[in-house]
Amino acid sequence: MEKPPQNLVKNGSERSEGSSGSGGEEKGRFEYFGWVYHLGVNSIGREYCHLRFLFIRGKYVEMYKRDPHQNPGIKPIRRGVVGPTLMVEELGRQKVNHGDFYVIRFCNRLDETKKGEIACSSAGDAQKWMEAFDQAKQQAEYEISRGGRARNKLNMETEINLEGHRPRMRRYAHGLKELIRIGQGPETLLRQSSYLGAGRPDGYIEGDTGDAIEAHVWKCVQTINGVRIFEDVSDSQSGKGVLVKSVGVVDATADTVFEAILNIERHQRYEWDMLTGDLELIDSIDGHYDVVYGIYDPKFLTRWHSKRDFVFSRQWFRGQDGTYTILQRPAVHKKKPPRSGYRRTKINPSTWEIRSLNTPIVSNAPRCLVTQMFEIDSSGWCRWTKSRCSKFEKSIPYALLCQVAGLREYIGANPALNLESVTTVVHSKISDVSVPHGEYEDTEVQDEFYDAIAADSSSSSEDEESDSDEHDNKESKVKLKNISWAITSLALKRTSAPDANKELDSTVTPISIDPTQCHGSLHKGKDGADTNCWASPSGTGFMIRGKTYLKDNSKVMGGDPLLKLIAVDWFKVDKSIDRIALHPRSLVQSGVGKKLPFILVINLQVPAKPNYSLVLYYAADRPLNKSSLLAKFVDGSDMFRDARFKLIPSIVEGYWMVKRAVGTKACLLGKAVTCKYFRQDNFLEIDVDIGSSSVARSVIGLVLGYVTSIVVDLAILIEAKEEAELPEYILGTVRLNRLRPDSAVNLEV
């Protein structure tokens, strides 16, 4: 296979560099192509796994046996359109042909016969393919919204079917501008490349501050082999031990480091891991969760102990900003009972966080920040920090602290692990296709945390003028970002309060909302000591985009919410319920609810046994201003809502590992999970199906295990993407204080 051109970027972007701010248009339509494994079952029931070249052109998808660029005239073996009913789900890391690959499943929510799966060599490639299909789906939705001839044409075309007999092929015009190549070809798939393309739309990586203000106070107490060791010295410790972390910079992509940590091949782990080098996979729960068994000989720590073994689970997910989080916890498994001659021990619960760092323009070398965090007994730790002669250096926690240093040296000594960037952007001379900027600008996700987008808008170009402009833009961005540390400190002193007269109708007299007349099944807390209740905190605990965000990426503290939280329902249901606002028990159907000018209903559908629905009711004291961003969101298209509906989580009190799993980064919910919108009368309901994402299911499962002992703050807002929409404001907040699942009220349909 030919080598890609030299003009490389870290990730493929979904919009051209020419996209501007307010009122701009996004020009050009991308093509995505690359090698994947096509998985399925043939007509006689046998599973197959074929290497195929996948090509997405606009809303069309084609599959070839060979690369059509190297074999002109070759015809696709499958072809169809990506319809608006297509659903794409990442199944995570799975075994395919005795190798670890990342599987994506496709299905039509209206026709279950139309489905299929593909496998990629890396999580980065899987994310890019998901974005490619999402872009194609948006193109189809846009054509439907235009109505008339475009809608009729789309209805007549055959939707892509990756299972069953191959559809007949039709020819069509290209008329496309941008080409994005995903993956390095069949040879990369066959050797299971560890490269994952991680990055952000503009290559900028924010500081590790999140979008909610955390209570941790980290102090560097030691440096071991160039790796900094931190201790949490805050007074808000929720555990009995000491929370510590080791932090180091690794000259590799975040994806390479992630693969190295998950890899259990002995000869590779022996090169960097002195503690958990002998690992065996004993169970794979899903693509984001497995259980491993390991042994180690303590003679490397002390000669007086017998051999030991351990079992622990690993749970991982990739954020919308490309950051990886791995949770490791002690476990028990029936396949591995205590072993004769070995002493069963527990490895400290720990987390890994791998985050890409911004690299200078003059250097293409990738770098990432690797953080390992765990809780240890305070007695041994305190003795070690005061005296280097303690036995702590012969302990398991010390061996864990050294893993980051070992990983850094291992990757540094094996440059082949860190492959070159695999995404190529090629410009052709075909005419542009204009698409409305407001509806398609959804690749700017520098501050989101769940599973979706990993794109870099810094396209390479054969056009000298375009290339020059792009370089100037990058130079100015770097100058601004180099002083972002100063701007961040100033941001904490500023707040962004909503302008009610801008978002709500200023010509109407506000009504008085009496909270005592609004009742939900979950009671409002009387004070901070109350439990199994809700409250409405201010927005000062959340960081949101400031007035100059588009210029310097600065964020400010949020102000008071625009909408008032008037009630919360905590329901237990047999299966998820949509349009819950129409239920007779809903506040919307009460006499008080019908008199309110506007109600925003957020229905968080929690997958469990049984299922739960947490319903939040936010009210406005005046009708919406028809020209406001809020009104555009309420009465806009689902595509616009998905690209703007944002949530910021924060675990205020609770187990530290739950805090790391949930994080504090904002999430575009419409990109992370399935959201359904229902607009009627004086309300908008948003049904958030948390179970629609395997990653979200995994995280919420962990949270439910500790829900009775944690305090959770949530902020909802509409993401501002244009200068006229800035600064952002908090739409609503809620604090959930130590909920009890058994207190949920049964709701009958």
Side-chain angles (χ1 to χ4, degrees):
M1 185 175 180
E2 293 182 5
K3 292 184 177 180
Q6 293 302 309
N7 297 325
L8 300 175
V9 295
K10 289 186 178 179
N11 276 306
S13 169
E14 292 187 3
R15 57 175 179 168
S16 64
E17 281 292 306
S19 296
S20 59
S22 178
E25 281 191 343
E26 180 178 298
K27 298 189 176 183
R29 194 188 304 170
F30 287 120
E31 290 188 346
Y32 296 80
F33 57 88
W35 290 95
V36 299
Y37 274 118
H38 179 207
L39 313 179
V41 180
N42 61 21
S43 58
I44 61 174
R46 295 189 62 181
E47 295 183 353
Y48 60 80
C49 176
H50 298 315
L51 194 62
R52 295 289 183 254
F53 193 90
L54 199 61
F55 216 134
I56 298 180
R57 311 166 189 259
K59 65 178 185 293
Y60 297 96
V61 182
E62 294 180 336
M63 181 175 284
Y64 297 85
K65 286 187 174 181
R66 294 184 294 276
D67 185 348
H69 299 104
Q70 299 179 359
N71 300 273
I74 186 175
K75 294 190 176 184
I77 58 175
R78 294 176 184 267
R79 181 181 182 277
V81 299
V82 174
T85 58
L86 178 75
M87 297 181 67
V88 183
E89 180 184 10
E90 180 202 3
L91 300 184
R93 184 183 175 104
Q94 296 186 4
K95 287 287 183 182
V96 177
N97 273 9
H98 306 291
D100 291 320
F101 290 88
Y102 296 83
V103 179
I104 301 173
R105 174 182 293 166
F106 308 92
C107 65
N108 186 314
R109 67 170 181 263
L110 302 180
D111 185 356
E112 295 184 357
T113 63
K114 295 181 178 179
K115 57 185 179 181
E117 293 180 354
I118 61 172
C120 310
S121 63
S122 69
D125 286 352
Q127 292 293 339
K128 293 174 196 173
W129 280 118
M130 291 183 68
E131 279 303 299
F133 277 93
D134 181 64
Q135 179 75 12
K137 182 179 177 180
Q138 289 186 23
Q139 177 66 28
E141 290 176 342
Y142 171 67
E143 294 189 7
I144 288 179
S145 67
R146 294 168 57 190
R149 184 177 178 182
R151 178 192 293 267
N152 295 334
K153 180 181 178 183
L154 184 63
N155 290 337
M156 293 174 61
E157 292 175 311
T158 304
E159 190 172 20
I160 184 65
N161 182 9
L162 295 181
E163 187 166 273
H165 299 292
R166 300 171 184 169
R168 297 186 64 180
M169 297 159 291
R170 296 193 298 270
R171 301 173 66 87
Y172 63 95
H174 291 267
L176 305 170
K177 181 182 179 181
E178 303 284 351
L179 304 178
I180 291 183
R181 178 187 202 145
I182 301 177
Q184 284 190 309
E187 64 278 8
T188 305
L189 280 172
L190 292 174
R191 69 170 178 260
Q192 302 165 45
S193 162
S194 63
Y195 173 82
L196 295 90
R200 301 223 187 161
D202 60 358
Y204 171 63
I205 302 299
E206 297 177 345
D208 190 21
T209 58
D211 293 310
I213 300 173
E214 289 190 292
H216 295 299
V217 179
W218 294 105
K219 178 182 178 181
C220 183
V221 295
Q222 286 294 324
T223 301
I224 302 176
N225 299 324
V227 172
R228 294 173 295 158
I229 308 300
F230 290 84
E231 175 187 352
D232 182 10
V233 295
S234 65
D235 295 328
S236 58
Q237 280 289 323
S238 58
K240 297 180 180 179
V242 177
L243 198 59
V244 299
K245 66 178 181 179
S246 55
V247 182
V249 176
V250 179
D251 294 328
T253 64
D255 313 347
T256 299
V257 176
F258 169 74
E259 290 289 346
I261 295 173
L262 284 193
N263 195 331
I264 61 174
E265 291 185 11
R266 179 181 302 178
H267 71 280
Q268 293 188 19
R269 293 196 75 93
Y270 273 8
E271 293 195 41
W272 67 271
D273 187 358
M274 65 175 290
L275 183 64
T276 59
D278 286 285
L279 295 180
E280 173 191 348
L281 180 66
I282 58 177
D283 199 0
S284 181
I285 311 302
D286 57 36
H288 299 276
Y289 191 103
D290 64 18
V291 181
V292 297
Y293 168 79
I295 59 174
Y296 76 93
D297 191 338
K299 68 182 181 182
F300 299 108
L301 300 175
T302 175
R303 52 180 150 175
W304 304 112
H305 293 163
S306 61
K307 292 184 178 180
R308 300 190 180 187
D309 64 351
F310 50 85
V311 179
F312 66 90
S313 65
R314 304 185 302 178
Q315 186 177 356
W316 60 87
F317 45 88
R318 187 176 193 261
Q320 286 179 336
D321 61 354
T323 298
Y324 288 96
T325 300
I326 305 173
L327 312 178
Q328 298 181 166
R329 291 175 289 168
V332 176
H333 201 282
K334 61 182 180 181
K335 291 183 179 179
K336 288 295 180 179
R339 183 176 173 182
S340 177
Y342 286 80
R343 178 182 172 188
R344 179 62 54 93
T345 188
K346 288 185 178 181
I347 299 294
N348 297 60
S350 62
T351 66
W352 290 86
E353 184 179 276
I354 309 128
R355 179 170 56 87
S356 295
L357 291 175
N358 187 38
T359 55
I361 296 176
V362 296
S363 172
N364 289 326
R367 303 171 75 212
C368 68
L369 190 70
V370 180
T371 302
Q372 187 182 26
M373 183 185 303
F374 55 92
E375 189 176 17
I376 64 176
D377 180 71
S378 58
S379 58
W381 172 257
C382 293
R383 286 196 300 268
W384 179 69
T385 54
K386 295 177 181 178
S387 172
R388 300 299 169 269
C389 300
S390 72
K391 297 180 181 179
F392 182 76
E393 294 183 2
K394 296 294 185 179
S395 67
I396 291 177
Y398 183 82
L400 289 173
L401 286 173
C402 294
Q403 284 185 322
V404 174
L407 190 64
R408 185 190 61 185
E409 295 303 313
Y410 163 64
I411 292 177
N414 293 272
L417 290 172
N418 198 27
L419 301 178
E420 293 181 346
S421 178
V422 297
T423 304
T424 307
V425 179
V426 184
H427 290 260
S428 69
K429 298 181 180 180
I430 309 299
S431 59
D432 294 344
V433 180
S434 297
V435 181
H437 170 74
E439 294 222 336
Y440 277 85
E441 187 188 7
D442 59 359
T443 59
E444 185 182 354
V445 290
Q446 301 176 64
D447 54 348
E448 279 74 46
F449 82 96
Y450 264 147
D451 69 336
I453 304 168
D456 187 344
S457 59
S458 54
S459 308
S460 62
S461 173
E462 293 176 356
D463 185 355
E464 293 180 1
E465 182 178 356
S466 174
D467 193 56
S468 176
D469 291 343
E470 179 181 313
H471 185 270
D472 291 341
N473 289 338
K474 285 184 176 179
E475 242 180 16
S476 64
K477 286 180 181 179
V478 169
K479 291 177 182 178
L480 289 169
K481 289 158 191 170
N482 285 340
I483 60 170
S484 62
W485 60 270
I487 295 173
T488 301
S489 63
L490 292 174
L492 293 175
K493 303 176 183 178
R494 303 196 302 266
T495 60
S496 176
D499 184 353
N501 289 328
K502 180 181 177 182
E503 299 298 320
L504 304 179
D505 192 343
S506 60
T507 64
V508 177
T509 303
I511 68 169
S512 178
I513 301 177
D514 185 1
T516 62
Q517 300 299 315
C518 306
H519 305 287
S521 60
L522 189 67
H523 78 278
K524 185 176 182 180
K526 299 176 182 178
D527 52 45
D530 202 357
T531 62
N532 195 41
C533 61
W534 64 271
S536 183
S538 70
T540 55
F542 302 95
M543 300 300 294
I544 59 179
R545 297 182 177 187
K547 183 63 178 177
T548 59
Y549 179 82
L550 297 181
K551 299 176 182 178
D552 56 21
N553 293 280
S554 65
K555 293 187 177 183
V556 298
M557 292 171 59
D560 291 331
L562 175 69
L563 304 181
K564 185 179 183 65
L565 180 60
I566 57 175
V568 175
D569 275 325
W570 180 224
F571 290 135
K572 184 187 303 180
V573 294
D574 293 331
K575 61 179 181 179
S576 297
I577 299 178
D578 295 332
R579 302 191 175 187
I580 204 165
L582 298 181
H583 195 279
R585 295 193 61 170
S586 171
L587 174 71
V588 177
Q589 300 304 316
S590 67
V592 175
K594 292 179 179 179
K595 293 178 182 178
L596 294 172
F598 174 73
I599 306 175
L600 176 63
V601 182
I602 309 294
N603 178 19
L604 299 176
Q605 300 170 343
V606 182
K609 293 181 181 180
N611 294 311
Y612 298 94
S613 272
L614 182 71
V615 189
L616 313 174
Y617 301 93
Y618 295 94
D621 58 6
R622 286 175 283 170
L624 307 183
N625 182 347
K626 298 297 183 184
S627 60
S628 67
L629 176 62
L630 177 56
K632 292 177 182 177
F633 176 82
V634 170
D635 296 315
S637 67
D638 288 356
M639 183 168 57
F640 179 81
R641 292 163 173 163
D642 280 345
R644 298 299 189 99
F645 182 40
K646 187 157 73 174
L647 178 143
I648 305 176
S650 175
I651 305 294
V652 181
E653 296 180 25
Y655 184 37
W656 68 269
M657 183 169 280
V658 178
K659 290 185 178 183
R660 304 310 299 178
V662 173
T664 58
K665 299 296 288 182
C667 167
L668 280 176
L669 280 182
K671 296 297 180 183
V673 296
T674 299
C675 294
K676 297 178 183 177
Y677 306 89
F678 178 50
R679 177 75 166 105
Q680 184 173 303
D681 300 330
N682 67 332
F683 71 90
L684 169 69
E685 177 179 333
I686 306 178
D687 298 312
V688 183
D689 183 7
I690 299 175
S692 61
S693 163
S694 57
V695 173
R697 283 198 307 271
S698 182
V699 173
I700 202 66
L702 176 63
V703 171
L704 285 176
Y706 296 90
V707 70
T708 58
S709 62
I710 62 176
V711 179
V712 185
D713 279 3
L714 303 175
I716 59 171
L717 57 156
I718 304 171
E719 183 168 85
K721 294 188 176 182
E722 300 180 2
E723 189 170 355
E725 299 168 352
L726 291 169
E728 286 182 336
Y729 60 88
I730 302 291
L731 198 57
T733 63
V734 64
R735 170 167 291 179
L736 303 170
N737 194 343
R738 297 173 174 86
L739 292 187
R740 294 201 313 269
D742 59 358
S743 69
V745 177
N746 281 307
L747 186 67
E748 297 180 359
V749 181

